Amino acid sequence: MEHTILFGADAIAGEVRRLASAIDEESTKSLVVVTVLKGAVVFSSDLVRAMDTETELVFVSASSYVDGFTPGTELTVRKDGTLGVEDRHVLIVEDIVDTGRTLQALQETIQEERPASIRTVALVDKTVRRSGSFNPTYTGFHITDEFIYGYGLDWDQRFRDLPFIAIANP
Ligand code: PRP
């Protein structure tokens, strides 16, 4: 299948470096990086390697159709069902923020654990679809209402492995 590339691998790498530096600049202590499965896995793995700040990795799964989230793998879940981020600095990583509901619900749930701080980063921001006033702390690319896939983002669970972001309806 031929893809129409919207953001190529080099552009993505540049944006990842820029976001990593911005996060580093505002981080004094180690961070608990909460990656939202599945889409954010590719971005997150590049991001943490581009950051100088020491990180601890946690994975959660979330659905934009359900209010809330469930922790992802048993390895990262504590017996008490928390992420164990009390008094820790948290960075939630998303591939895309659309209505903003997922990130907002996740942030509110994690807030209950009384972390020292919570910041959020999304590689792609689709502001036109935002339902409330929630915005990530750091955002990469801005798009309008295009359907995009690749670099973690799926099209019916396909193409997450592409090294670029493509557009389905150019
Ligand atoms: C996507 C994306 C965010 C959410 C954003 O996940 O990864 O988690 O939607 O939408 P929102 O801002 O409207 O809440 P999706 O449900 O497609 O799951 P996936 O990451 O497993 O592909």
Side-chain angles (χ1 to χ4, degrees):
M1 171 171 167
E2 234 175 77
H3 304 286
T4 305
I5 298 178
L6 183 63
F7 304 117
D10 289 347
I12 293 172
E15 202 54 32
V16 168
R17 278 196 300 272
R18 188 187 68 77
L19 290 166
S21 304
I23 294 163
D24 278 339
E25 263 176 39
E26 296 177 271
S27 305
T28 49
K29 301 234 171 77
S30 70
L31 281 176
V32 179
V33 172
V34 178
T35 302
V36 185
L37 297 170
K38 304 173 191 172
V41 165
V42 176
F43 168 47
S44 183
S45 69
D46 282 344
L47 183 72
V48 295
R49 285 179 294 169
M51 284 163 52
D52 290 329
T53 308
E54 189 184 322
T55 61
E56 197 178 302
L57 308 183
V58 168
F59 298 87
V60 296
S61 54
S63 163
S64 26
Y65 308 109
V66 180
D67 246 6
F69 76 104
T70 49
T73 71
E74 292 203 356
L75 282 177
T76 59
V77 179
R78 294 174 144 212
K79 279 192 184 144
D80 63 4
T82 72
L83 296 175
V85 296
E86 189 177 346
D87 292 330
R88 300 292 306 276
H89 293 279
V90 172
L91 177 73
I92 309 175
V93 181
E94 266 290 23
D95 49 348
I96 187 165
V97 56
D98 196 342
T99 64
R101 279 199 292 262
T102 306
L103 212 43
Q104 185 163 13
L106 199 51
Q107 178 162 319
E108 283 167 8
T109 307
I110 293 175
Q111 193 69 55
E112 288 168 14
E113 291 191 28
R114 300 182 175 282
S117 68
I118 302 186
R119 282 173 287 163
T120 52
V121 57
L123 179 65
V124 180
D125 194 352
K126 222 185 212 189
T127 32
V128 289
R129 300 251 305 159
R130 200 71 91 258
S131 58
S133 58
F134 182 86
N135 285 308
T137 318
Y138 309 97
T139 41
F141 302 113
H142 291 262
I143 61 167
T144 49
D145 211 8
E146 294 95 346
F147 182 83
I148 58 170
Y149 61 92
Y151 195 71
L153 293 146
D154 72 304
W155 183 351
D156 274 346
Q157 300 304 325
R158 298 175 70 198
F159 307 129
R160 292 190 197 272
D161 53 359
L162 296 177
F164 50 79
I165 292 174
I167 183 165
N169 49 345

